[in-house]
Amino acid sequence: MNWYPWLNPVYRQLIAQQQAGRAHHAVLVQALPGMGDAALIWAVSRWLLCQRRDGQKSCGHCHGCQLMMAGTHPDWHRLAAEKGKSALGIDAVRDVNETLFHHAQQGGAKVVWLPDAGQLTEAAANALLKTLEEPPQNSWFFLSSAEPSRLLPTLRSRCLRLHLTPPDEAQSLGWLQKQNAGSHEAMLTALRLSSGAPAAALALLDKQNWEQRQALCATLASALAGDVLTLLPQLNHDNVAERIGWLASLLTDALKWQHSGDRFIANIDQPALITQLAQRLPAAALDKSLRQWLLCRERLMHIVAVNRELLLTEQLLNWETLLRPAATSLAD
């Protein structure tokens, strides 16, 4: 598993708390995609399960470390929804709960990791809550969530909150340069589109992903002067939430442009498109457009069995009503 330099201070903090006997038995990690929370939790888990620790490092040679590196440690439990499903049910939580109350198979700690705590059904969350309230001895829980506010308040209250803050822009750009990620303009754009999460920016700069974004930008530029529905093929994909995010960022940048906030623009590689949007729509229409697209994304992400193509078509037609007055005004 990849390790990222911005995780070093947080890792040292968590291990120091363990060494001082002040560690909380349940840690809720709030992290954006691409911040490396999985790597952090795996490293801390490996230290907890190591049988010959070397200060703040796991030894890498003991049986516990070997099992962790092989992904077969019997006292390390990863709780996630089954492939193809979005919800983590109560049965999986009950199984782990029962295992935790038995003696650790390797005689040491027992660790549970939920890579996306938001997958818990309400029943599963309540089952986990009971264990968090009275945890078995030497058992540790790590929950990851990009949006902790969506979790049950009672579940959040039983955890220590840890927020993985993105590193400063200069540090992130330096790391991206070492990965040979691309031009300075592209790296800075990708970083800002990823809310400062370096690994997410690197993923966006992957050739296929970057070309998808560039294609959406090019189609948007022509759609503004023609048929808005030509955007449908660019949006109607499995990563629709990310694609709507790219569109929303352009609308946000147009609002910044109108208010002389050029230095805060995210899409620095698309100045002509941002100018086109800013000159085409007044601030009120841009704001309404942004709200509509964010609501559309929310529905696509959280409504079960939603018809993606139908919802996108409806949104594009609604957006056209905002663009049409602008087109009429330009014609006059």
Side-chain angles (χ1 to χ4, degrees), residues 1-156:
M1 187 173 289
N2 291 331
W3 183 255
Y4 306 107
W6 57 87
L7 297 176
N8 288 331
V10 187
Y11 173 81
R12 288 193 289 265
Q13 173 191 343
L14 289 172
I15 299 303
Q17 289 172 351
Q18 288 283 346
Q19 291 174 320
R22 294 184 288 103
H24 199 283
H25 68 277
V27 179
L28 174 57
V29 182
Q30 179 179 357
L32 292 166
M35 277 300 298
D37 56 310
L40 174 67
I41 292 168
W42 188 84
V44 174
S45 299
R46 183 173 154 180
W47 185 88
L48 285 167
L49 295 167
C50 178
Q51 296 163 343
R52 294 198 300 268
R53 299 167 185 161
D54 180 15
Q56 291 195 332
K57 297 179 180 179
S58 48
C59 72
H61 304 291
C62 70
H63 189 51
C65 285
Q66 293 298 316
L67 288 171
M68 279 296 287
M69 288 187 283
T72 57
H73 201 297
D75 298 316
W76 189 75
H77 308 279
R78 182 181 183 274
L79 273 180
E82 295 179 7
K83 188 175 182 180
K85 296 184 179 180
S86 59
L88 177 59
I90 190 171
D91 289 342
V93 175
R94 282 175 173 168
D95 288 345
V96 167
N97 284 346
E98 184 177 348
T99 301
L100 292 176
F101 281 95
H102 291 98
H103 187 69
Q105 292 192 40
Q106 293 298 307
K110 291 162 285 187
V111 182
V112 178
W113 175 41
L114 282 80
D116 183 1
Q119 292 181 337
L120 288 165
T121 63
E122 185 172 352
N126 284 322
L128 179 63
L129 177 62
K130 292 178 181 178
T131 305
L132 293 182
E133 289 173 339
E134 298 182 23
Q137 186 176 8
N138 206 13
S139 294
W140 309 96
F141 301 82
F142 297 96
L143 295 76
S144 290
S145 177
E147 299 179 272
S149 60
R150 292 186 178 274
L151 304 180
L152 288 178
T154 47
L155 189 64
R156 297 198 306 267

Side-chain angles (χ1 to χ4, degrees), residues 224-250:
L224 291 172
D227 184 2
V228 176
L229 285 176
T230 58
L231 273 171
L232 182 59
Q234 291 295 333
L235 294 169
N236 190 20
H237 290 266
D238 289 341
N239 66 337
V240 61
E242 184 176 16
R243 291 173 183 243
I244 291 178
W246 298 338
L247 176 55
S249 73
L250 289 162

Side-chain angles (χ1 to χ4, degrees), residues 162-233:
L162 175 65
H163 183 206
L164 282 188
T165 307
D168 64 67
E169 212 166 67
Q171 180 184 353
S172 298
L173 286 171
W175 180 79
L176 286 170
Q177 286 172 347
K178 291 179 181 178
Q179 315 307 312
N180 297 313
S183 68
H184 177 82
E185 183 182 72
M187 288 189 298
L188 184 55
T189 298
L191 191 61
R192 291 181 177 180
L193 288 177
S194 304
S195 301
L202 183 62
L204 176 55
L205 287 164
D206 177 76
K207 186 175 184 293
Q208 182 178 0
N209 294 333
W210 195 246
E211 286 177 351
Q212 290 174 359
R213 173 186 169 268
Q214 298 296 78
L216 184 138
C217 291
T219 304
L220 175 60
S222 60
L224 291 172
D227 184 2
V228 176
L229 285 176
T230 58
L231 273 171
L232 182 59

Side-chain angles (χ1 to χ4, degrees), residues 243-317:
R243 291 173 183 243
I244 291 178
W246 298 338
L247 176 55
S249 73
L250 289 162
L251 293 169
T252 303
D253 282 347
L255 281 166
K256 294 174 184 176
W257 186 93
Q258 289 181 346
H259 293 85
S260 303
D262 304 47
R263 66 192 183 95
F264 300 109
I265 282 174
N267 298 274
I268 62 170
D269 64 334
Q270 297 291 333
L273 180 53
I274 293 168
T275 303
Q276 184 182 2
L277 281 166
Q279 293 178 341
R280 181 69 179 270
L281 290 167
L286 279 172
D287 181 70
K288 188 172 183 179
S289 299
L290 180 59
R291 291 174 186 273
Q292 285 182 352
W293 279 111
L294 292 178
L295 178 59
C296 178
R297 182 174 66 172
E298 183 77 6
R299 288 172 174 168
L300 286 166
M301 290 173 65
H302 299 293
I303 296 178
V304 178
V306 66
N307 187 319
R308 185 175 67 204
E309 183 174 0
L310 184 61
L311 185 57
L312 286 170
T313 301
E314 180 185 18
Q315 168 55 26
L316 285 167
L317 291 173

